[in-house]
Amino acid sequence: MTDIYLYNTKTRTKGQQFTPIDDKNVRMYVCGPTVYDRAHLGNARPVIVFDVLNRLLRHVYGDKHVTYVRNFTDVDDKINARAAESGRSIGDITDETIQWFLDDMGAVGAIEPCHMPRATAYIAPMVAMIEDLIAKGHAYAAEGHVLFSVSSYAEYGALSGRSVDDMIAGARVEIAPYKRDPMDFVLWKPSDADTPGWDSPWGRGRPGWHIECSAMAHDLLGAQFDIHGGGNDLTFPHHENEIAQSKCAGHDFANVWLHNEMLQVEGKKMSKSLGNFFTVRDLLDQGVSGEVIRLVMLSTHYRKPMDWTETKRKEAENTLCDWISVLQKHGYSAKTVEMLKAAGDWTADVELMGVLGNDLNTPGALARLHVLSKGRTAEALAPFAHGLETLGLVSDWSAVEASASERDDLADWIAPVIDRLLVERSTARADKNWGEADRLRDLLNASGVQVTDIAGEATWAQGPDFDPSVLEALI
RNA sequence: GGCGAGUUGGUAGAGUGGUUAUGCAGCGGAUUGCAAAUCCGUGUACACGAGUUCGAUUCUCGUACUCGCCUCCA
């Protein structure tokens, strides 16, 4: 069995081996998106990171023994603003955005979590939790708001390593007349007639952001669960506040906290003002495949800042192309994989899984894949193929087979023309007319056709720059 | 100001108290009519200073620089 070690933000160490509370039901909660717009590339990082962890946990504990929850925050002032400016209903916007998110994340190979709760479906548990916090003296109502009293929780700041005194000195906190303490944060806030609201003991209103995750995690995973994940920008205040709420409500909450580092683009923070802001959908539309996006993401460890660059995109495209062609050469298809499974040859590479289990060392796992890809037979390549599938880089083996024969999709005139040119070249070569032979080869290369000579036999394949119009112009 | 992370060879990027990361690029070789493709081989690396140690890129402390968060942006 693969041992798993995870860096726990709470203890700031990789520490001891991961041991689930219940190995028949390993539970993980990851903060999902606020649904008001297309997911940008940075949004994809935690999705992919925790998808890898989900796959690893399933590998180790079994598909049936992992519960993965990722929420949708579908009540938020940004959504309200988007609705107001577009004139569309909030429901329309959130429904559409959720579908976009699922499509885009599916494209980068993310398996859907077991549960994807919407915050608006959990208002009642949130209200109940807030009432409980008030009853226990950790929260108070004021002017239609309910606030969490930070001073009532002695360990506030433990996750992020901050002290309340320091933060107040920093003075970047919102001062409001209804707050007893500037650090107190909102659990419930009043809604006017134009904003979505639900009836509550404190009047019509809507929940604060932090209480959503506490309530949904509790409802779906129980008072104590194994892993809580998210981007490291959420460490404070979001996760700190979740912990305060849940602990004060009497829940043990998450054992292990994981945070991925941020994503940059060409060395700079992705931002609209720098003009380097783009969504996952933008890349897909440009023809960058989801697998390529995923491979680039996996090439940097999740706890380090990752830089998205054009160079990396290109390299990932080449690597993926090489890997797939290795498998195609050995006739990989859905049937091949089935046969390997039947023969008991569909096994994980122990070293690869070990590397992955060591705090999700995906760059190390990719290095191992490079080594495994040197296998000489279909059987010898099984751990390689298995590894590709485990990392989510290949999900459909019949597609691998299909792309090997995509020559069939070319226009009818192309293949015969290329074949004729190759025959002419063979004749020239037989006559030792090297000038003519090379002219024909250069012509094919110029149009992006790869000519490969093996044992005197010439074959061809479309290169990445294949352009039939160049071929047409040259003949 | 507070908190945290990082600094590895041309480049990307792992890792380790003494032993080959890996990819790309480069160089050499096999192969080829010449190439391409493929295969094999190959590197001068661990910011700086001090300390611990038989031995540190790897541990400790300090310095410099970079970056992130503290603004309900993952």
Side-chain angles (χ1 to χ4, degrees):
Chain A
M1 181 183 282
T2 303
D3 294 339
I4 299 179
Y5 295 85
L6 299 170
Y7 182 91
N8 189 349
T9 306
K10 196 160 73 175
T11 58
R12 302 198 187 279
T13 60
K14 204 150 41 171
Q16 337 162 305
Q17 188 177 332
F18 172 72
T19 312
I21 298 159
D22 174 4
D23 64 7
K24 296 291 180 229
N25 184 21
V26 184
R27 284 157 286 165
M28 171 161 76
Y29 185 95
V30 175
C31 292
T34 300
V35 284
Y36 64 99
D37 206 349
R38 281 276 184 195
H40 65 247
L41 190 61
N43 295 121
R45 172 114 108 140
V47 173
I48 291 171
V49 165
F50 292 104
D51 180 64
V52 170
L53 179 54
N54 183 32
R55 288 165 183 268
L56 175 64
L57 292 171
R58 282 161 187 276
H59 172 80
V60 173
Y61 297 99
D63 282 341
K64 301 262 184 288
H65 303 302
V66 177
T67 307
Y68 174 23
V69 177
R70 186 184 61 215
N71 71 291
F72 286 113
T73 294
D74 62 346
V75 49
D76 182 274
D77 288 347
K78 272 205 207 83
I79 302 171
N80 301 339
R82 189 56 59 103
E85 74 197 31
S86 67
R88 300 175 61 199
S89 80
I90 285 169
D92 271 3
I93 290 173
T94 56
D95 285 352
E96 180 182 63
T97 311
I98 285 171
Q99 194 53 53
W100 282 346
F101 184 84
L102 294 176
D103 291 345
D104 296 348
M105 296 308 129
V108 297
I111 298 172
E112 288 193 1
C114 310
H115 302 282
M116 297 186 282
R118 293 185 182 210
T120 51
Y122 288 80
I123 300 294
M126 292 177 207
V127 169
M129 195 167 170
I130 294 169
E131 286 184 299
D132 185 45
L133 286 170
I134 293 174
K136 288 175 174 160
H138 293 291
Y140 56 93
E143 298 180 29
H145 295 74
V146 181
L147 291 128
F148 182 90
S149 174
V150 167
S151 64
S152 76
Y153 179 58
E155 290 174 58
Y156 190 80
L159 178 73
S160 54
R162 297 154 202 256
S163 79
V164 174
D165 294 341
D166 289 342
M167 286 183 282
I168 291 172
R172 287 257 208 139
V173 288
E174 186 191 351
I175 309 290
Y178 48 81
K179 283 187 180 179
R180 289 183 195 164
D181 184 299
M183 288 303 297
D184 291 351
F185 58 89
V186 162
L187 297 172
W188 189 264
K189 53 188 162 188
S191 293
D192 60 28
D194 295 331
T195 35
W198 291 262
D199 289 329
S200 80
W202 319 285
R204 186 172 173 280
R206 58 194 193 280
W209 176 38
H210 314 298
I211 194 70
E212 296 175 10
C213 288
S214 284
M216 288 188 278
H218 179 253
D219 204 79
L220 291 163
L221 296 175
Q224 188 184 18
F225 53 95
D226 298 293
I227 297 168
H228 191 131
N232 78 348
D233 56 336
L234 297 183
T235 309
F236 186 89
H238 184 53
H239 291 161
E240 198 71 71
N241 292 354
E242 280 187 54
I243 290 172
Q245 295 158 354
S246 292
K247 292 274 189 183
C248 287
H251 309 158
D252 286 326
F253 216 46
N255 284 349
V256 179
W257 286 84
L258 296 186
H259 292 95
N260 62 275
E261 252 292 352
M262 300 292 101
L263 176 132
Q264 298 183 313
V265 173
E266 304 287 351
K268 295 195 170 113
K269 178 172 174 148
M270 185 164 75
S271 73
K272 287 179 179 166
S273 58
L274 286 170
N276 63 353
F277 183 97
F278 49 87
T279 65
V280 173
R281 179 53 52 182
D282 291 335
L283 286 175
L284 294 170
D285 286 347
Q286 287 162 25
V288 181
S289 75
E291 289 79 8
V292 166
I293 296 172
R294 189 176 178 96
L295 183 55
V296 173
M297 291 279 184
L298 297 184
S299 70
T300 300
H301 189 261
Y302 78 95
R303 279 195 289 114
K304 288 205 172 166
M306 121 127 242
D307 196 15
W308 174 275
T309 64
E310 187 58 17
T311 307
K312 283 185 185 174
R313 195 223 81 214
K314 191 78 189 157
E315 270 191 30
E317 249 160 30
N318 290 338
T319 300
L320 213 48
C321 189
D322 287 350
W323 281 351
I324 298 300
S325 68
V326 163
L327 294 171
Q328 286 170 342
K329 270 180 206 151
H330 289 87
Y332 264 72
S333 65
K335 191 185 275 182
T336 313
V337 172
E338 264 175 47
M339 283 167 57
L340 287 166
K341 281 179 182 165
D345 288 329
W346 188 249
T347 51
D349 178 63
V350 172
E351 187 174 329
L352 189 153
M353 297 314 293
V355 168
L356 203 56
N358 183 13
D359 199 29
L360 300 181
N361 184 357
T362 52
L366 295 179
R368 182 63 187 160
L369 280 183
H370 278 290
V371 174
L372 293 173
S373 72
K374 306 268 193 279
R376 306 281 193 177
T377 63
E379 290 75 25
L381 284 166
F384 169 61
H386 186 283
L388 283 174
E389 190 176 277
T390 301
L391 287 172
L393 292 166
V394 171
S395 52
D396 183 359
W397 292 103
S398 55
V400 170
E401 184 187 14
S403 67
S405 55
E406 76 183 8
R407 182 182 294 197
D408 298 342
D409 299 336
L410 293 176
D412 290 345
W413 64 271
I414 293 176
V417 165
I418 295 174
D419 286 339
R420 179 171 58 77
L421 291 172
L422 283 183
V423 169
E424 285 176 21
R425 176 165 169 271
S426 296
T427 308
R429 291 179 74 200
D431 295 343
K432 298 199 192 301
N433 184 354
W434 308 128
E436 175 64 5
D438 291 349
R439 187 188 70 80
L440 291 165
R441 184 176 62 199
D442 291 345
L443 189 157
L444 287 164
N445 286 346
S447 57
V449 175
Q450 273 291 338
V451 178
T452 306
D453 295 315
I454 294 174
E457 193 81 12
T459 57
W460 64 275
Q462 310 172 52
D465 307 320
F466 178 65
D467 184 353
S469 64
V470 176
L471 185 64
E472 196 170 13
L474 289 173
I475 56 176

